[in-house]
Amino acid sequence: DIQMTQSPSSLSASVGDRVIITCRASQDIVNSLAWFQQRPGKAPRLLLYAASRVESGVPSRFSGSGSGTAYTLTISGLQPEDFATYYCQQYYSSPSWTFGQGTKVDI
Amino acid sequence: QVQLLQSGAEVKKPGASVNISCKVSSHAFPISGVSWVRQAPGQGLEWLGWVSGYDAGTNYAQKLQGRVSMTKDTSTATAYMALRSLQSDDTAVYYCASTKDSYSPPGNWGQGTLVIVSS
């Protein structure tokens, strides 16, 4: 099974900050990497897929990069609505998926 | 945008079974299938399995093998997940999710079904 290691597990930030979250896969997942945002009590929301492609309707302050086994999510200019938990997910081994442990972004 | 509508919360005793449904709003069951993911209180996301929209084939997480069944009813565009021999660590919110094709991440999620296992 492919393991996903996400860091940090939590971070504190302020409005306007740039935030970077990293995700590492246990093997090459060939950019089959997605990022999700989850607010309390809500279902996850797809932000990016294929490592760097932004889902329709997602603000441009969200961006992704990486290749092979190492990927990052960057939020440029944190907004109040961005305080949430973020998860990476590999879908290289679809239909079997693996999620990272999550990163909680709070004030 | 496809919407997925899940059945309501359940409270079960240890050893019991639970059945959760997930109805697809488009009235057409996605060929790429429906996956199930759960989230225990305060924890992360855990993939549970998938049922194919093409041939009803399934793929389950190893830790649930033998306790879980995922099926579909194409006529009603509904997916079902049954989990047997419930234990307290099965307490979680269970989500169904669908993708636009077989090699994409889930862009559509149900609202979640809370399952509480308690004596």
Side-chain angles (χ1 to χ4, degrees):
Chain A
D1 291 1
I2 300 174
Q3 307 302 316
M4 305 299 292
T5 304
Q6 190 174 335
S7 62
S9 55
S10 65
L11 64 90
S12 295
S14 301
V15 173
D17 283 355
R18 187 176 75 157
V19 167
I20 298 174
I21 299 168
T22 65
C23 189
R24 185 170 296 273
S26 59
Q27 67 181 70
D28 186 353
I29 55 172
V30 197
N31 287 4
S32 297
L33 190 283
W35 291 97
F36 294 84
Q37 176 192 67
Q38 188 180 33
R39 297 190 176 108
K42 298 295 186 182
R45 172 196 180 194
L46 178 64
L47 299 177
L48 296 102
Y49 61 98
S52 61
R53 298 190 177 186
V54 181
E55 180 74 347
S56 175
V58 173
S60 58
R61 61 181 179 273
F62 291 93
S63 63
S65 64
S67 62
T69 62
Y71 299 88
T72 61
L73 169 69
T74 300
I75 310 172
S76 301
L78 202 66
Q79 296 300 301
E81 61 269 28
D82 300 336
F83 291 96
T85 301
Y86 295 84
Y87 293 92
C88 63
Q89 179 223 19
Q90 69 79 18
Y91 53 97
Y92 176 76
S93 58
S94 289
S96 172
W97 302 330
T98 319
F99 294 89
Q101 302 94 321
T103 297
K104 184 176 181 181
V105 177
D106 57 22
I107 300 174
Chain B
Q1 178 93 356
V2 172
Q3 291 187 323
L4 306 177
L5 183 62
Q6 298 182 226
S7 50
E10 303 263 12
V11 180
K12 297 292 184 180
K13 294 193 181 302
S17 299
V18 69
N19 292 279
I20 304 171
S21 66
C22 171
K23 185 171 178 58
V24 181
S25 67
S26 65
H27 305 292
F29 200 90
I31 290 293
S32 56
V34 168
S35 297
W36 293 87
V37 173
R38 73 180 177 184
Q39 186 170 39
Q43 302 301 308
L45 301 168
E46 178 186 17
W47 177 80
L48 303 178
W50 163 87
V51 57
S52 168
Y54 176 67
D55 61 3
T58 55
N59 188 316
Y60 302 138
Q62 182 124 19
K63 69 180 289 185
L64 293 183
Q65 292 277 359
R67 283 208 300 138
V68 68
S69 298
M70 294 176 186
T71 58
K72 70 177 181 79
D73 183 338
T74 303
S75 66
T76 60
T78 303
Y80 299 91
M81 186 192 74
L83 188 59
R84 300 175 287 276
S85 302
L86 291 168
Q87 299 301 320
S88 57
D89 61 0
D90 291 315
T91 294
V93 175
Y94 289 74
Y95 295 101
C96 60
S98 69
T99 66
K100 63 180 180 182
D101 58 50
S102 297
Y103 297 98
S104 292
N108 303 303
W109 292 72
Q111 82 276 21
T113 296
L114 174 62
V115 175
I116 297 172
V117 182
S118 174
S119 55

